[in-house]
Each structure stands twice: as C-alpha cells, then as structure tokens.
Amino acid sequence: MDTNPNKQLKKLCLIPLFAILILSGCSAEWHLSKAVRKNPELLKANTMIVTDTVVTDPIVVKDTVTISQVDTVEIVKDKFRVKIMRSYDTLIIDGGCDSDTVVRTITVSVPQLVSGESGFQRVQRYTFWGLVSLLLIGIAILVIRKSVSI
C-alpha cells in the first residue's frame, strides 16, 4: 500500500475534480440557442391543419298503403329522396337521406420555441460556477501547503 501522504492527497483531489467535470455540462438552453443560430427557421410559428371526417349513417323510411292503379313518382330534394310506387291496390313509399360525409378542418397554432434563460437561472449558473471555483482554489491551496511543509 502507498503510504506517501502527497500521493494520497493528490488522489483525493482528483476525485472531486473528475466528479465536477462529469456532472457539469452544457444546459439545454445553450444547445437550443446554438441550434437556433444554425437554423433560424426553428423560431417560426408552425400551423398544423387537422382534417376530421365523419360519415353519417343513411336514414331509410318505408311505408305501404293499399289502393288501385299503377304509377311511380320520385321526388329528390338536396340529400332527401322519396319514391312513391302505386301498383293496383298497393302503395309503396320509399324515402330517406343518403349517407353524408362531414369534413371539418381545424387549424391549430403551435407555439414557437422560447430561447433564453431567466434571471433566476443566470444567478443559479453563476453561483454553481463560483462554488466550483472556490472548491478548486481551496484544493490548490491545500496541495501547495502540503508540498511546502514537507
């Protein structure tokens, strides 16, 4: 086992340094601002159009009345149709609405990307890096004191 205190201290100093390097990184805002600089089209408001289709069922009405003589009358108005067929003593009425398709178009405005950091985030970032700097300065002072005292 290594009993040299300087080597042990150096190893102890490297652990927080590596932890700081691994745990710190670029924020999402930094990556977003860099992406916006490369492609300003990201900030344009996008509009999505959704088309919804509804198909209604046909409505059919049938009725029978009995009279004499033969004749057929058909009435069509918009989507509604009625057909009256008279055959001697039978009257057949066939009517209804044909199936219909309703198409509805909805326009949805998609919010644009918001880039930038708030004042609180800026203070938080500066506080973090200030504490990291103080920690590194403290470790450097300890290393220098140990190396000078030996």
Side-chain angles (χ1 to χ4, degrees):
M1 184 158 170
D2 194 11
T3 57
N4 188 351
N6 277 340
K7 288 186 178 180
Q8 289 177 351
L9 182 63
K10 288 180 182 178
K11 288 181 184 177
L12 278 174
C13 293
L14 290 178
I15 292 172
L17 179 66
F18 283 128
I20 290 171
L21 289 175
I22 289 172
L23 295 176
S24 67
C26 298
S27 65
E29 289 86 14
W30 183 83
H31 286 289
L32 180 61
S33 65
K34 189 171 181 179
V36 168
R37 269 188 265 129
K38 286 184 178 181
N39 185 7
E41 296 288 320
L42 291 174
L43 290 180
K44 280 190 173 178
N46 294 330
T47 303
M48 295 175 54
I49 297 176
V50 179
T51 303
D52 187 16
T53 304
V54 178
V55 179
T56 61
D57 294 330
I59 300 170
V60 178
V61 178
K62 288 190 177 183
D63 195 4
T64 303
V65 178
T66 305
I67 54 175
S68 60
Q69 296 181 3
V70 177
D71 193 9
T72 301
V73 177
E74 186 171 356
I75 302 170
V76 177
K77 183 173 182 182
D78 294 329
K79 296 280 184 178
F80 185 73
R81 63 174 174 73
V82 176
K83 189 175 190 180
I84 303 170
M85 296 170 282
R86 189 179 345 172
S87 176
Y88 298 104
D89 63 346
T90 306
L91 185 62
I92 301 171
I93 301 171
D94 182 13
C97 292
D98 292 333
S99 64
D100 196 7
T101 302
V102 178
V103 177
R104 187 174 61 168
T105 303
I106 302 169
T107 303
V108 179
S109 180
V110 178
Q112 64 183 9
L113 296 173
V114 178
S115 150
E117 63 182 355
S118 68
F120 177 72
Q121 290 172 333
R122 194 174 308 117
V123 168
Q124 193 177 20
R125 182 170 41 104
Y126 289 137
T127 304
F128 172 76
W129 287 112
L131 290 175
V132 168
S133 301
L134 288 175
L135 180 68
L136 290 176
I137 291 170
I139 292 172
I141 290 173
L142 284 175
V143 170
I144 292 171
R145 278 188 179 175
K146 292 289 183 180
S147 65
V148 170
S149 66
I150 293 179

